[in-house]
Every structure is written in structure tokens, then in C-alpha cells.
């Protein structure tokens, strides 16, 4: 393997060698990698929310390996190959388009103004989409997906009844009596989170960490 002064290039070359010479890696497909990608992504989240700087560095490296692995698989596609350089070029071009206040003559002095430019550039890229829900990944965890869909719904004036129902349910202390009503209540709670600028998925994760601490304390007492 050729050594490069650029650590990212060295990582890409390492991945290429593994793909070409490792019997296990040679058989792996994009689909095979999905469970690992999900796991590594969640390990990054754990490192951000409850880990050390060393943990975060290691988990980001593992996540980067997943990107390099997918690119190495893609490079061997007989019909439509692309490699990590193509991926990087696609990323650079997209970020330049979406930051005209950095790379062109537009002005954005607040985060809100930045989002205006970002959303305008994104809309121009996705002209073929016919619904605000197009592009929402349904593999997201349910709470995060609910918050995403509610945000998209608000763009077209939909979903307001969910937030109103959440308020009414809180007022009367409603409790679910079926699985369907439980789904309604979870959606309403997610709407409440969105209205307040909270992350419903993170809120539950952090509360679960407290429960895990209680469990471990009970096990050792």
C-alpha cells in the first residue's frame, strides 16, 4: 500500500487494500453494511452525549470507515462505479451551493438567514420532488421520524391539530386505552417537543440513561 502524507488518503488506501485482499470484506455488499452503519452512528451519538473526547475521536473514525467501505464497494460496481473522490467532490459541490453567503455574494448575518439560503439551494436541487415528505428516511427511529414529519407537515399548514390535541390531552390528563391511542399520545408528545424546540429522541435517550443508572445502583446495593 502506498503511503500518503494526507491521513484521509491513507485511510482510503487502507480501505481499498482491505476490500481487495480480505476474504470477508470482499463479499460484503452495501446492504450487508447497513446494520454496521446504524450501530456505528449510534455509537457516535453515545460518544457525543455521554463519552470522552477519546471516545468521540474513535467513534468518528469507525463511522468514517463505514463511508470508506461503501465507497470502496461502489468503486467496483460494473455498471455505475464511483469512488471516495467522487463522494468527496459531490459533498464539496453541494456545500458550496448551499453556502452562497460563504462562497458567493449572498449575505447571511443570522442563523435564520443562513437557513433561507440553505433551503432555497436545497429546493433547487430537489425540483423533481412532489411532496414535502419526499426524501424523509423512514429508517429513522420512530420518535425522530415523527418530529421530522411534523416539521415537514408544518411547511404546508398540516399537523396543527396534533399540537392542539396534545394541549387538550395534557389539560384533561388523558391516558391511552389502546395501542392506537398510545400512538396518538406519542405523536402528540412529539408535537409538544417540536413546539418547544426540544429533541424528543434525545430527551428519551437521556431519561433512559438515568433509568440505567438506577438499575445499576439497584444491582449493586
Amino acid at each position: 500500500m502506498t503511503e500518503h502524507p494526507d491521513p484521509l488518503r491513507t485511510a482510503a488506501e487502507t480501505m481499498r487494500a482491505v476490500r481487495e485482499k480480505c476474504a470477508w470484506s470482499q463479499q460484503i455488499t452495501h446492504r450487508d453494511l447497513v446494520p454496521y452503519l446504524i450501530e456505528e452512528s449510534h455509537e457516535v451519538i453515545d460518544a457525543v452525549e455521554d463519552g470522552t473526547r477519546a471516545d468521540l475521536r474513535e467513534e468518528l473514525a469507525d463511522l468514517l470507515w463505514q463511508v470508506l467501505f461503501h465507497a470502496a464497494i461502489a468503486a467496483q460496481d460494473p455498471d455505475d462505479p464511483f469512488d471516495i473522490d467522487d463522494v468527496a467532490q459531490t459533498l464539496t459541490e453541494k456545500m458550496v451551493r448551499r453556502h452562497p453567503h460563504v462562497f458567493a455574494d449572498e449575505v447571511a448575518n443570522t442563523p435564520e438567514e443562513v437557513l433561507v439560503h440553505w433551503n432555497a439551494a436545497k429546493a433547487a436541487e430537489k425540483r423533481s420532488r412532489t411532496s414535502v415528505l419526499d426524501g424523509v428516511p423512514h429508517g429513522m427511529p420512530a420518535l425522530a421520524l415523527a418530529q421530522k414529519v411534523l416539521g415537514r407537515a408544518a411547511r404546508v399548514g398540516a399537523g396543527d391539530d396534533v399540537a392542539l390535541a396534545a394541549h387538550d390531552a395534557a389539560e384533561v390528563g388523558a391516558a391511552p386505552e389502546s395501542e392506537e391511542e398510545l400512538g396518538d399520545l406519542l405523536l402528540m408528545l412529539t408535537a409538544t417537543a417540536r413546539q418547544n424546540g426540544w429533541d424528543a429522541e434525545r430527551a428519551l435517550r437521556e431519561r433512559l440513561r438515568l433509568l440505567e443508572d438506577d438499575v445499576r445502583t439497584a444491582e449493586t446495593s
Side-chain angles (χ1 to χ4, degrees), residues 74 123 136 138 221:
V136 174
H138 286 86
S221 61

Side-chain angles (χ1 to χ4, degrees), residues 20-168:
E20 291 177 355
K21 300 177 182 179
C22 170
W24 181 83
S25 300
Q26 289 171 352
Q27 304 303 312
I28 294 299
T29 66
H30 290 298
R31 187 177 293 273
D32 294 333
L33 276 182
V34 168
Y36 300 99
L37 179 60
I38 293 171
E39 181 179 350
E40 297 297 354
S41 297
H42 283 286
E43 288 181 358
V44 170
I45 294 170
D46 283 346
V48 168
E49 295 181 350
D50 200 38
T52 65
R53 298 291 292 174
D55 293 333
L56 180 57
R57 178 176 176 173
E58 179 179 357
E59 299 305 339
L60 285 173
D62 290 344
L63 186 59
L64 175 60
W65 185 255
Q66 293 298 305
V67 175
L68 294 172
F69 207 151
H70 277 285
I73 295 171
Q76 296 177 335
D77 187 277
D79 301 317
D80 186 18
F82 61 84
D83 61 15
I84 192 62
D85 289 324
D86 298 311
V87 173
Q89 182 177 352
T90 298
L91 171 64
T92 299
E93 291 172 351
K94 177 186 289 187
M95 291 304 107
V96 169
R97 284 195 308 271
R98 294 190 183 183
H99 293 82
H101 54 291
V102 176
F103 301 103
D105 298 328
E106 299 291 346
V107 176
N109 295 316
T110 67
E112 292 76 17
E113 291 174 347
V114 170
L115 283 177
V116 169
H117 293 308
W118 177 277
N119 289 330
K122 187 173 182 179
E125 296 166 7
K126 311 295 183 181
R127 287 194 183 97
S128 62
R129 292 183 175 176
T130 58
S131 168
V132 294
L133 298 179
D134 289 346
V136 174
H138 286 86
M140 294 173 67
L143 277 177
L145 177 60
Q147 196 151 356
K148 187 80 169 177
V149 171
L150 285 168
R152 296 291 181 91
R155 295 186 191 177
V156 295
D160 292 341
D161 57 325
V162 177
L164 180 61
H167 175 76
D168 293 343

Side-chain angles (χ1 to χ4, degrees), residues 120-212:
K122 187 173 182 179
E125 296 166 7
K126 311 295 183 181
R127 287 194 183 97
S128 62
R129 292 183 175 176
T130 58
S131 168
V132 294
L133 298 179
D134 289 346
V136 174
H138 286 86
M140 294 173 67
L143 277 177
L145 177 60
Q147 196 151 356
K148 187 80 169 177
V149 171
L150 285 168
R152 296 291 181 91
R155 295 186 191 177
V156 295
D160 292 341
D161 57 325
V162 177
L164 180 61
H167 175 76
D168 293 343
E171 288 289 321
V172 300
E177 297 182 355
S178 68
E179 189 170 290
E180 182 179 358
E181 289 186 3
L182 176 61
D184 291 339
L185 182 58
L186 288 170
L187 183 59
M188 289 187 290
L189 289 172
T190 306
T192 299
R194 181 181 172 278
Q195 282 186 319
N196 288 277
W198 303 332
D199 185 323
E201 190 80 22
R202 182 174 61 226
L204 182 57
R205 280 200 309 271
E206 292 184 349
R207 185 62 186 84
L208 283 171
R209 285 196 178 96
L210 294 177
L211 176 58
E212 289 171 357

